[in-house]
Amino acid sequence: MEAVSGTIPSRLLLAAGTAVVLGLTGAVAVTGPALASGHATPGAPGLGDRLYPLLGNGGYDVQNYDLVLTYPKKDPAQQITGDVTITAVATQNLSRFDLDFGGDAVGRVTVNGRPAGFTRDGDELVISPPRALPAHRRFTVRVSGFKATPIQPDADAPVGFVVTPDGTVLAGQPASSHLLFPSNDHPRDKATYTITAVAPQGWTATANGVRVRTKTRNGYVTSTFRETQPMASELVQVAVGDFVVQNRAPVNGVPVRDVVPRRLADDLLPKVADERHEISWMEGKVGRYPFENYGSLIIDGELGFALETQTLSLYDTSFTSYPSYILNPILTHELAHQWFGDSVSPWSWSDVWQNEGHATWYEVTYADETGTLEQYTGAESLDAYFKSVYARGDQFRARFGPVARPLKADSIWDVFNPNVYDGGALVLFALRQKIGAKKFQLLERAWVSRYRGKSASTQDFIRLASAVSGRNLSSFLNAWLYGTTTPAMPGHPDWTVTPVPASGAPASVAAAPAGARHMPAGH
């Protein structure tokens, strides 16, 4: 993703703060037939993520979501209703389990077609099935009649389900898709999706993946989309309102669609036309595009960020106001995320450098190879750009923590920080210096191929880098990714790091070099 600060775009994704959830504890007596082994116990109310420990839920693995959302009238601010059927496999004998949900209300819950008890505890929906669920068996849970109301975008508050002048969209990274619908809201548990939106005639619905059917009845249009590739909940997109969809010519067989407010179509659609060239360029770098289609969704307003929702990247009109030498690298950043972050998702949120470091790498590389790097960053070459980032390495580590270990998640900006973006790209530059350009490209292609449709960790990346390069890179990459000081740059012994002030106080984020674009401290 990209963020906006002042007049210069910043690479920082806005997302919701940590959801505070409390799960119930203690075992529940097993009813019905005896389970294969042992008694049933509750699934954990969180996956134990270091930064967001109560995000997601334990005890099951989601396979598929069938989500239906109903928009009663042409009012972007209206409360909507929904139903979701989740197909999952139990990973333990389950007496009860949680879903993440921060919406307004829940109507009814069934498990395997039978009524189930449920309570709400913060953003946790705690479900007690009528019978314990045996490990390794498939089950379905249906949450009917849930309600959610979109909110005005606010850079200092959770985003999630967002109202715009023309309709609503979803901006869920990292922890707020569950403000719209019940889910296992962590990228470690990816699933396929069927998304159906029921809206009044005259409104347009668009979602991830491919439109599979459209029906019109009694003044309402029912639009159904299917995402057949595994998707993290934080990447779901459902845009419903007075939008128009433009289909562009495919790129190497990849259909391209763009979605914009109808009243702004003539102005906005030409702004993102470069995405077709960017798709071809990215495929030349890392291989075939991993999904069914691609495109851009632009809303009128200032979210303060762009977001790589799967197959349909989200932007606001503050981005399209920039000249092409700024906008096009940003478009490339979000496109690169379709491989790095969407197809290959982080195992934990500490691994988010894999998303943002790679997207930043291809963003500035695209600017360089299209002759706009100096206009975009102020640096005359990639070496000059990364030299300036390198100089701030220790200051960024002191302020935000190592690249692959952000210090905290008190604010979203603690996690999506400049050391994840520019620092992550700097790690890739150092790795390329270490193993050479040819093996680096082989590694990039191997990474998106080996882990396509999966979630992978930083240690997975280190192991694959060692295998592809034919040398043990554990010490090298661990130092770059987890060290509190910036290692020497291979091939550039003259590069120096600006010391952290003697007082120990980290440098201000605003001290970043030209081109190291980010949000100001505290935003």
Side-chain angles (χ1 to χ4, degrees):
M1 84 195 114
E2 282 284 346
V4 174
S5 175
T7 59
I8 300 297
S10 305
R11 287 190 302 274
L12 189 60
L13 178 68
L14 174 66
T18 307
V20 179
V21 293
L22 299 172
L24 305 177
T25 58
V28 173
V30 178
T31 60
L35 298 174
S37 60
H39 292 296
T41 54
L47 287 178
D49 189 285
R50 185 181 71 84
L51 293 170
Y52 300 100
L54 294 178
L55 192 62
N57 304 282
Y60 61 92
D61 178 19
V62 177
Q63 307 295 299
N64 185 73
Y65 292 85
D66 192 337
L67 175 64
V68 180
L69 302 172
T70 299
Y71 299 71
K73 53 188 177 181
K74 293 180 181 179
D75 178 6
Q78 71 189 308
Q79 183 185 66
I80 62 96
T81 61
D83 306 297
V84 64
T85 301
I86 298 172
T87 304
V89 173
T91 57
Q92 67 183 68
N93 294 329
L94 275 175
S95 60
R96 70 169 175 262
F97 60 93
D98 290 14
L99 294 174
D100 299 310
F101 182 58
D104 301 337
V106 172
R108 183 169 181 263
V109 178
T110 62
V111 176
N112 291 332
R114 296 173 177 266
F118 66 91
T119 60
R120 295 192 67 184
D121 195 347
D123 278 6
E124 293 291 279
L125 176 59
V126 185
I127 298 171
S128 299
R131 294 184 176 182
L133 303 173
H136 314 303
R137 295 286 296 275
R138 186 181 296 263
F139 69 94
T140 60
V141 54
R142 180 176 175 83
V143 182
S144 304
F146 66 81
K147 299 179 185 296
T149 303
I151 64 171
Q152 292 289 339
D154 182 347
D156 295 318
V159 184
F161 187 32
V162 178
V163 63
T164 81
D166 305 284
T168 61
V169 300
L170 190 59
Q173 192 178 48
S176 56
S177 283
H178 67 270
L179 298 181
L180 173 59
F181 68 98
S183 63
N184 199 26
D185 199 5
H186 193 282
R188 193 178 304 172
D189 193 2
K190 302 173 71 166
T192 55
Y193 279 77
T194 297
I195 300 173
T196 299
V198 182
Q201 282 184 276
W203 268 23
T204 298
T206 310
N208 312 87
V210 175
R211 184 188 294 268
V212 294
R213 60 183 173 271
T214 302
K215 296 181 180 179
T216 302
R217 183 180 181 184
N218 297 329
Y220 285 85
V221 178
T222 300
S223 305
T224 300
F225 297 80
R226 179 66 178 163
E227 177 51 90
T228 62
Q229 300 301 311
M231 179 166 64
S233 54
E234 47 114 359
L235 301 172
V236 171
Q237 183 56 264
V238 188
V240 179
D242 191 14
F243 299 116
V244 62
V245 179
Q246 173 164 310
N247 295 308
R248 300 186 189 272
V251 179
N252 300 331
V254 178
V256 180
R257 57 170 177 172
D258 295 320
V259 183
V260 300
R262 187 180 307 276
R263 60 190 173 83
L264 300 176
D266 289 345
D267 176 55
L268 295 180
L269 286 170
K271 301 289 184 70
V272 293
D274 191 62
E275 67 194 351
R276 297 186 66 258
H277 177 258
E278 294 152 14
I279 293 170
S280 181
W281 184 86
M282 276 299 303
E283 287 193 331
K285 296 295 184 184
V286 295
R288 290 286 295 168
Y289 177 75
F291 301 121
E292 303 94 333
N293 54 6
Y294 186 63
S296 299
L297 165 63
I298 307 173
I299 61 170
D300 185 17
E302 288 197 32
L303 291 173
F305 61 90
L307 178 59
E308 63 273 15
T309 46
Q310 191 160 310
T311 74
L312 190 64
S313 292
L314 172 65
Y315 306 90
D316 64 39
T317 47
S318 67
F319 285 93
T320 55
S321 68
Y322 290 114
S324 60
Y325 67 82
I326 291 178
L327 178 59
N328 290 346
I330 294 172
L331 297 176
T332 306
H333 180 110
E334 302 307 324
L335 171 63
H337 273 310
Q338 303 299 311
W339 286 264
F340 301 95
D342 292 14
S343 180
V344 183
S345 297
W347 180 256
S348 73
W349 281 110
S350 295
D351 301 317
V352 71
W353 78 272
Q354 296 170 174
N355 305 20
E356 303 303 344
H358 278 99
T360 300
W361 171 264
Y362 289 105
E363 171 191 344
V364 296
T365 301
Y366 185 79
D368 181 54
E369 294 189 6
T370 55
T372 62
L373 181 68
E374 188 165 9
Q375 285 178 291
Y376 185 49
T377 68
E380 62 183 11
S381 66
L382 283 178
D383 275 17
Y385 177 80
F386 283 111
K387 183 179 181 180
S388 67
V389 176
Y390 183 84
R392 299 307 195 278
D394 282 4
Q395 295 180 339
F396 283 165
R397 288 169 190 254
R399 184 179 182 89
F400 302 110
V403 173
R405 194 174 178 84
L407 289 176
K408 56 186 178 179
D410 295 348
S411 162
I412 187 60
W413 311 123
D414 294 327
V415 179
F416 291 87
N417 65 68
N419 207 30
V420 162
Y421 288 75
D422 286 304
L426 184 67
V427 171
L428 298 176
F429 180 85
L431 178 59
R432 188 174 182 269
Q433 292 288 108
K434 181 77 170 179
I435 66 177
K438 183 176 181 179
K439 287 188 175 179
F440 177 79
Q441 187 174 38
L442 289 174
L443 169 61
E444 293 289 274
R445 289 173 173 266
W447 176 251
V448 298
S449 175
R450 172 80 58 92
Y451 294 104
R452 178 174 177 168
K454 301 176 182 178
S455 302
S457 70
T458 296
Q459 291 305 311
D460 290 328
F461 183 82
I462 292 173
R463 283 189 289 269
L464 186 61
S466 297
V468 171
S469 67
R471 57 203 297 186
N472 189 341
L473 295 172
S474 295
S475 296
F476 177 81
L477 283 173
N478 277 313
W480 272 96
L481 290 162
Y482 296 106
T484 57
T485 58
T486 308
M489 177 59 70
H492 291 289
D494 58 314
W495 286 14
T496 58
V497 178
T498 303
V500 176
S503 65
S508 168
V509 178
R517 296 164 308 285
H518 50 75
M519 299 296 287
H523 190 27

